[in-house]
Amino acid sequence: MQPQQFLDLVQCAFFDSNNQRGQAEQVLLKYKDEFTDEFLMYCVSAFANRAIQNRLRIACSTLIKRLVGLIHPSNQIMWLACSQNTKNEVKIKFMEQLIDPEHEIRRSAANTISEICAIELPRQEWPDLIQRLTTNSKHSNVLVKVSAIMTLGYICESLKNNQSSGISEADATLILMGICVGMDTNEQNLEIRITAIKALQDSLYFMNNLFTKQEIFTFVKNLILQNAVSNIQEIKLKSLQCLIDYVKQLFAFLPVFISDLYQTTQAAFENQGEITIAAIEIWNTICAEIKEIISENSNQQTPETNSVDCCVSFFKKNYEGFIIPFMRNLLLDDGDAEDEYQQLSVSNSSVKGLAYIIEFAGSSTYDSVKNFIQNTMTNQQWEYRKASVMAFGALAEVQTEEIGLLIKSALTSLFGCLVDQNIKVKKATTQTLSRIAENYPQCFHEHDQANQMLLTLLDQLSNKIPIVQNLVWVFVYLTEGLANFQNSVFTKEKFAILQHLASTSIRSDIKNSEIALIDTAFMAILNIIYSVTETKLCNDYLVQFYQQIQFLESKNQYPVEIKYHLEMGLMSAMHGCVVRLDDSTTSEKQFEDIMKTLSKVDPRVKNDYFYVLSGIAYAFKKKLTKYSTQIISELNKPLSEPDDMDSFKTALFCLSDIARAMEEEFVPYMNILNYFFGLIKNGNFNRELKIQVYNAIADIILGLKEKSAPFVNDLKDILKLGFAASIDLTKSKLSVDQDYAERLKETMTAFYTCMLHAYCDPKTPIYELGDTVQWFIIFCQEMCNLKLKPTIEYVRLTLCCIFDCSHFFQNITDMKQKIKEFITSDFVIELIRKLSQFNDKDYQDCVSFAQQLLNDVYGYQLKLY
């Protein structure tokens, strides 16, 4: 291909609107794979050529940025597949463009350099780049200085987006130095300061080690706080937005600067629009971190828990400085009340912040909030009534007995606001009612005015859609626990509620932008179905639901998107019904009608169709066999097209359920295992889907048991592959690989457990699996090492699999000795002791079983402490 031909293809692929655009894209992608070096050289030569149009130059730069990290046919990423000479030339040319006269070219160069950096820096390549950029960040030439800091910023962003964790401390230090130069409050160039602040925000996740050094932490903290009180509004806003990430990443350091942070942000709590939102969101982020740490911590003292204690104490001492401006902010008008997609507003941030402060400062805040509500709820100005309702909603976010009593006593007054003439008051009321329904459902179910409340709620379902969208959530939450409120009017009238919700879902005034209302209504309908125990009622509803699908398919009454969501909801409702039925509850004729109806649905709801089939496989095992050939032929299409990941996964789950239900009757279809083995062994197949394929294979062999014995060698092959991949990926420096390894190791442990249960009987074990025990022992020692801090659930899963090995191979002398040595080793004993520290019943049962097994089978007295 000649250079001009290449440029013509880029022009067509990026800018032409004719039918040849897609073809040009495909030609470029193929050329990229077959002639990688030439492709990159054509791109970089065009980008460096100032005689070419800027937009075409940028397109060539963008091509490199987008493609360097993609997998190449050589099974490595494209950048690593090209020659060193090509890589050097690309880097030189792009560095030269950092001083191009055109700002958009400089920005594009910085962007692409950053993407290459995300690949090379963790590999200790391009060693001089960060030093050069840091040096240039102090350059006297403004153009050079801006480009250097901009590039450092983009490098931070790319490292963050690629979740690269391999950057050295030396490089991190240099990057931070360059950023701080740009953030200097004496810096007169606005672009430099804003770029540097954004760079700091993106770099925080890999700067933690540096911030443990007191002088560095103090210097950077002072610098960002100084910028946060700048007289330049844009600098102030960007700095406060940076602080949102700063307090999250450096939460453990909060005790040493929480007072300074409060002094910096307090003046911005009111009357400054976006700046006020950012200032409040800093504290909302701190509070969210507090909640997360409290929920995860197991009574261990850590820097994070010390920070939690410090913050809570600070809120208790200074709560008025937060709640008073936050409550005043509730009086602001949020704009269009019917705009469901409006950006974060001052009042929304304030109500969230108010709820957090109420929660952490405790009962000392209650009187202030209660007085505010009482003084505003009946005010003639609608802004005050809305503010009152929103403050009520903040209270409802906090779950205490005292607040529960307060809500129950004031709920009738709140319903008065539900019928307010002002739509913004009504909408705020529905949002607050949904919070109460979620956190205090008993206040509805046990209220002496519950009958009237239900009538009002049902009547308001005919209101404007923005009102109804929140009201439906009230029903979602109130129907979640109907079994706990048998005497509630909401339980007694649940079928009336279902009919109203069904009618609401087919309202003709629902717009495409309001489709979520349909999905939410069906969530509540499903809750009601799940509360039904009478099989006849479930069968009656099943008939109604599939008849409604027949109606939708026969009419063109609803827009395509509305119909699609209605059918999805009806499919889910059908699934909720069928799992409560069995072969004896539904006639053969009715079952045939269901199957015919399902096979004719809109192709876009095929995934939901397969979901219903999974339920049918669970419920109608005998009736299903007659349709197995038809169903599996329908599953073959999505299973053969794994590029459509959602359809592939849904079809895979469906096939698994069918195989489990059919058990040995699945034998005629079991050759599909060969296809799945091929996917596992295919290095280019999506690795996320491989986990699902492993799960499906496990389900199939569990149903088939010894009937699938001919596949044992293939199963051993993919078992070994999965074990090896888990171990290798755990050692990767990329956090995305490490996260995947965590999921894969759990999958492989469960997969091996299924193999044991499918083929091993203590009396007649399959000897071909004997060598897998040693593989599993090595896998355990690598993947469940307590130094790697495995989750406690994974520890339990591993121990259960170890115990299964003991059980299934206990009659084989050589195997029994090998397992005894392993199960009584310090490694396994420490796992058991770790599990014993947790009080969950499943964990304690596992520990008790371990003690008994070790004593009865191996004569080992386990001491837990």
Side-chain angles (χ1 to χ4, degrees), residues 843-858:
Y843 301 156
Q844 289 302 314
D845 286 348
C846 185
V847 171
S848 298
F849 181 83
Q851 288 178 301
Q852 185 178 346
L853 175 70
L854 287 166
N855 182 68
D856 296 353
V857 178
Y858 301 106

Side-chain angles (χ1 to χ4, degrees), residues 283-348:
W283 294 96
N284 288 349
T285 301
I286 291 171
C287 292
E289 284 295 299
I290 293 173
K291 289 195 76 162
E292 186 173 342
I293 291 166
I294 290 173
S295 68
E296 290 178 353
N297 194 260
S298 55
N299 299 320
Q300 296 177 349
Q301 281 297 112
T302 65
E304 285 75 20
T305 58
N306 292 337
S307 190
V308 166
D309 295 339
C310 167
C311 291
V312 170
S313 175
F314 186 85
F315 289 140
K316 287 181 177 178
K317 291 177 184 174
N318 299 280
Y319 71 88
E320 288 186 333
F322 291 98
I323 68 170
I324 291 174
F326 290 178
M327 287 192 293
R328 282 200 292 256
N329 285 340
L330 301 184
L331 294 165
L332 298 175
D333 184 2
D334 288 335
D336 185 1
E338 297 192 25
D339 181 9
E340 282 297 304
Y341 303 98
Q342 58 186 326
Q343 297 298 310
L344 201 58
S345 66
V346 171
S347 60
N348 286 339

Side-chain angles (χ1 to χ4, degrees), residues 434-451:
S434 70
R435 295 284 69 76
I436 296 171
E438 181 180 13
N439 296 324
Y440 293 95
Q442 70 276 13
C443 289
F444 286 90
H445 289 295
E446 297 171 356
H447 204 285
D448 56 10
Q449 296 294 314
N451 284 11

